[in-house]
Amino acid sequence: MLFKYMKSKCKPTVMFLIYLGIFCLIAYLYNMPADALLYAAGLCLFFAGVFLVYSYARFRQKQSALKDVKARIMFGPEELPPPSGAVEEEYQEIIRTLYSEMSAAATERDNAASDMLEYYTMWVHQIKTPIAAMRLLLQSEGGVSRDEMQMELFKVEQYVEMALQYMRLGSETTDFVIKKLDLDRIVRDTVKKYSTIFIKKKIALDYSGVDTVVISDEKWLGFVLEQILSNALKYTHSGKISVYMDRNLADTLVIEDTGIGIQAEDLPRVFDKGYTGYNGRKDKKSTGIGLYLCRRIMDRLGHTLSIESEVGRGTRVKLGLAYKSVRFE
């Protein structure tokens, strides 16, 4: 520790000796008595020695305090020793800022890991349902219905696709490819994907096509349409689902159903992560992730997403597809 101290005081010591030498030289040139010169130099050296001893004691004390702080650094830098100057005070402020940012990043990472673990735990339990249904169908004596098997397989594909999109959206980079798209083709491809469910549930589709070009990402926009159409089919037991462009709002696609609707107190929170609402709790199969992903994707694409609903009369989902700007995170 003494070597470290002497090394830190090397420059001040050299400067002191230079000043003392200059003082002695000038005193000699002006014929100052030798005993007076030696007395003055001795006093300077004595007080310099006293200062060095005091300074070394402070140095040891501060080093000991810093070692204690280092041993407890994971609990925070609050117990740093008092700064000895403006520069050291700035360094301590930098340390506190870095620690605060590190703590925030660690908390965000832990929350993300916790959310991911929670989602995948729920996802594993959910995907077991269609797998078990497929196993029962294969074991049934009456033979396996192709449509029923396709339906359960379709559910598995949906769950896998949602898990993949959840993982991709949480990554630092997202593979957006923004370009002009034919909205009619995307809607028709989505409807075709769910045609079996329309037929099985005997739900009518009211769609006459849209002549609209949008600027967006085909894959991610298609995922949003699939999730909204899936929800409409899930909570519509009779009637129809209509897809059309809003006459009052330009570049706004509307997906409207005649389903059970959403309760008024649930509407402000339907886009919250993990929120299932009354319908989700009653159904016991909702994850509360689908609409959360849709809102995040639409925000990232520079689009808007809103929901209007009335219990017993149906739900109207509006996708504002006017291009604003893509927000990269």
Side-chain angles (χ1 to χ4, degrees):
M1 187 175 291
L2 180 61
F3 176 75
K4 289 183 178 179
Y5 174 75
M6 293 305 296
K7 187 176 180 180
S8 67
K9 296 298 181 182
C10 183
K11 289 183 179 179
T13 302
V14 171
M15 292 300 296
F16 170 77
L17 293 175
I18 290 173
Y19 293 151
L20 183 61
I22 293 172
F23 168 74
C24 292
L25 177 62
I26 292 175
Y28 172 75
L29 292 175
Y30 279 87
N31 297 318
M32 180 180 288
D35 54 347
L37 178 61
L38 292 174
Y39 182 71
L43 283 177
C44 290
L45 290 172
F46 172 76
F47 284 112
V50 171
F51 172 78
L52 285 175
V53 171
Y54 172 76
S55 177
Y56 178 65
R58 289 288 305 273
F59 178 80
R60 284 179 61 90
Q61 183 181 6
K62 181 170 289 188
Q63 284 289 97
S64 178
L66 287 173
K67 285 182 178 179
D68 291 339
V69 171
K70 184 179 179 181
R72 301 190 301 271
I73 191 64
M74 294 304 297
F75 301 101
E78 289 80 8
E79 298 182 7
L80 287 171
S84 58
V87 175
E88 192 169 323
E89 186 176 357
E90 290 295 328
Y91 277 127
Q92 290 192 7
E93 188 62 32
I94 291 172
I95 291 172
R96 291 189 178 94
T97 301
L98 289 175
Y99 181 83
S100 177
E101 293 181 357
M102 182 188 71
S103 298
T107 301
E108 184 178 353
R109 182 196 63 217
D110 292 342
N111 290 338
S114 177
D115 290 344
M116 188 73 73
L117 178 62
E118 181 182 354
Y119 171 69
Y120 282 118
T121 301
M122 180 171 51
W123 180 85
V124 168
H125 285 289
Q126 284 195 314
I127 203 169
K128 287 165 70 176
T129 302
I131 292 174
M134 293 173 69
R135 183 177 290 110
L136 288 173
L137 287 171
L138 290 170
Q139 293 174 352
S140 63
E141 297 180 357
V144 180
S145 168
R146 181 181 177 85
D147 291 340
E148 290 177 337
M149 286 290 291
Q150 285 182 338
M151 184 68 67
E152 299 304 327
L153 182 60
F154 181 72
K155 291 178 183 178
V156 173
E157 290 175 344
Q158 276 190 303
Y159 286 135
V160 171
E161 181 66 20
M162 186 179 292
L164 287 173
Q165 301 294 23
Y166 183 79
M167 181 175 61
R168 288 170 182 164
L169 197 63
S171 65
E172 294 182 358
T173 56
T174 306
D175 55 341
F176 287 131
V177 180
I178 306 299
K179 59 182 181 180
K180 291 183 178 180
L181 303 171
D182 180 5
L183 183 60
D184 181 71
R185 181 177 59 80
I186 299 175
V187 173
R188 290 186 184 277
D189 288 344
T190 303
V191 170
K192 183 179 179 181
K193 187 173 181 179
Y194 286 86
S195 58
T196 303
I197 302 179
F198 273 100
I199 296 171
K200 185 176 179 62
K201 296 190 69 173
K202 298 180 180 179
I203 303 296
L205 173 66
D206 182 6
Y207 177 67
S208 56
V210 293
D211 185 16
T212 304
V213 175
V214 297
I215 300 177
S216 189
D217 180 276
E218 183 173 356
K219 182 183 69 176
W220 289 94
L221 181 59
F223 175 79
V224 172
L225 290 174
E226 288 177 13
Q227 288 300 309
I228 294 172
L229 193 58
S230 175
N231 282 348
L233 285 166
K234 183 188 296 184
Y235 297 112
T236 301
H237 305 304
S238 63
K240 67 177 181 178
I241 294 176
S242 304
V243 182
Y244 56 91
M245 298 299 296
D246 195 312
R247 295 180 180 177
N248 300 318
L249 299 172
D251 298 318
T252 299
L253 182 70
V254 181
I255 300 178
E256 183 177 0
D257 63 61
T258 57
I260 60 177
I262 303 172
Q263 300 211 0
E265 59 269 24
D266 290 334
L267 274 175
R269 299 185 60 190
V270 291
F271 296 113
D272 291 352
K273 186 177 182 179
Y275 187 75
T276 57
Y278 174 79
N279 294 336
R281 291 188 295 271
K282 184 178 178 182
D283 182 63
K284 296 182 180 179
K285 295 180 181 179
S286 178
T287 62
I289 296 295
L291 288 177
Y292 162 77
L293 287 177
C294 290
R295 167 59 69 85
R296 283 199 62 189
I297 292 169
M298 294 295 278
D299 287 344
R300 297 277 292 272
L301 289 173
H303 302 325
T304 61
L305 182 63
S306 62
I307 293 181
E308 301 171 359
S309 186
E310 187 176 346
V311 175
R313 297 181 65 88
T315 301
R316 186 183 299 109
V317 181
K318 295 184 176 182
L319 292 82
L321 302 176
Y323 179 74
K324 296 178 182 178
S325 62
V326 179
R327 181 171 64 87
F328 295 100
E329 295 181 351

